[in-house]
Amino acid sequence: HHEAEVTQMEAISGKKPMAKYWMHTGFLTINGQKMSKSLGNFIFINNFLKRHPYQQLRFWVAKNLWHSPIDYSEGAMIETKMALEKMEEFLQKIKSQKSKIKITIQNSKLAKNLLENVKNDFYKNLADDFNTPKAFATLFDFIKETNKLLEEGAIEKKIATQIYDFFEEINTIFDIIDF
């Protein structure tokens, strides 16, 4: 449905692809206040990047709805850092999955379904007005559920590889994960 919309808009505009970049257009505040020179409460991106990896900035912006206001604070950056670390730890666990684990057919099916569902939901949310907060929420739910299976040693190597590939795919869109 979404691809048809984009193709239709490309046909009208005569431009293909219609867009290469998405930008956040909501209002940016800092610690709940308008960012301004007179208040001296602004941060230059190059100074920010001396303290934080660029992936954190990208993820912080990406996980907020593109047309909603976002508030910058150290607390928000700590939250962002922790979320990315959770994702990266999960990928470490996925990558180190050994193939010699006793997998039940039930767990194998469960893992397969979890992956199919998160892929569908993730892209469905992106197609719905680029709803990144919802898309990333589905991703973290998936991580939570899959971590339970990992603890039981119930993820086979083949599925683990597919999960890892899916996260690499996500990273081609957002460039937020430090592999």
Side-chain angles (χ1 to χ4, degrees):
H1 166 71
H2 179 69
E3 281 176 19
E5 252 175 54
V6 169
T7 310
Q8 191 178 8
M9 289 165 90
E10 283 174 349
I12 293 165
S13 70
K15 289 189 171 101
K16 195 174 173 70
M18 191 186 93
K20 280 188 182 172
Y21 306 100
W22 287 94
M23 296 179 117
H24 184 270
T25 58
F27 201 67
L28 176 63
T29 56
I30 186 162
N31 297 316
Q33 287 187 302
K34 185 181 145 198
M35 205 181 274
S36 75
K37 272 189 184 165
S38 60
L39 290 172
N41 66 348
F42 59 91
I43 297 164
F44 289 109
I45 288 179
N46 55 352
N47 291 338
F48 174 91
L49 292 174
K50 284 174 190 165
R51 293 188 301 155
H52 306 278
Y54 76 89
Q55 289 96 337
Q56 280 181 30
L57 178 63
R58 293 181 69 92
F59 184 55
W60 174 66
V61 173
K63 73 187 180 75
N64 286 284
L65 203 54
W66 64 272
H67 51 71
S68 293
I70 49 176
D71 186 52
Y72 174 85
S73 68
E74 273 311 302
M77 290 325 298
I78 290 166
E79 229 175 77
T80 300
K81 180 180 193 264
M82 283 166 64
L84 281 176
E85 281 171 357
K86 187 177 185 176
M87 207 183 288
E88 287 160 7
E89 273 169 34
F90 171 73
L91 289 168
Q92 291 272 296
K93 279 192 248 174
I94 284 291
K95 200 171 177 124
S96 62
Q97 271 309 84
K98 305 287 177 274
S99 45
K100 292 186 177 82
I101 308 170
K102 290 192 176 86
I103 307 283
T104 64
I105 289 171
Q106 189 185 354
N107 278 340
S108 181
K109 268 190 180 155
L110 184 59
K112 236 180 248 175
N113 287 343
L114 279 173
L115 180 59
E116 270 174 38
N117 291 342
V118 75
K119 277 184 174 182
N120 290 336
D121 292 348
F122 186 81
Y123 287 115
K124 198 163 64 188
N125 286 315
L126 289 187
D128 178 22
D129 195 26
F130 210 58
N131 192 336
T132 51
K134 240 181 172 176
F136 285 116
T138 61
L139 214 54
F140 283 102
D141 284 346
F142 169 78
I143 288 173
K144 197 170 91 182
E145 293 302 309
T146 308
N147 266 332
K148 288 178 198 166
L149 290 175
L150 281 168
E151 279 163 32
E152 295 165 24
I155 299 269
E156 55 193 310
K157 186 89 178 119
K158 188 180 156 198
I159 296 283
T161 304
Q162 290 171 359
I163 291 169
Y164 198 85
D165 291 348
F166 173 56
F167 277 81
E168 283 185 323
E169 197 178 291
I170 289 167
N171 215 41
T172 58
I173 304 170
F174 293 100
D175 190 11
I176 54 172
I177 305 164
D178 182 3
F179 284 97

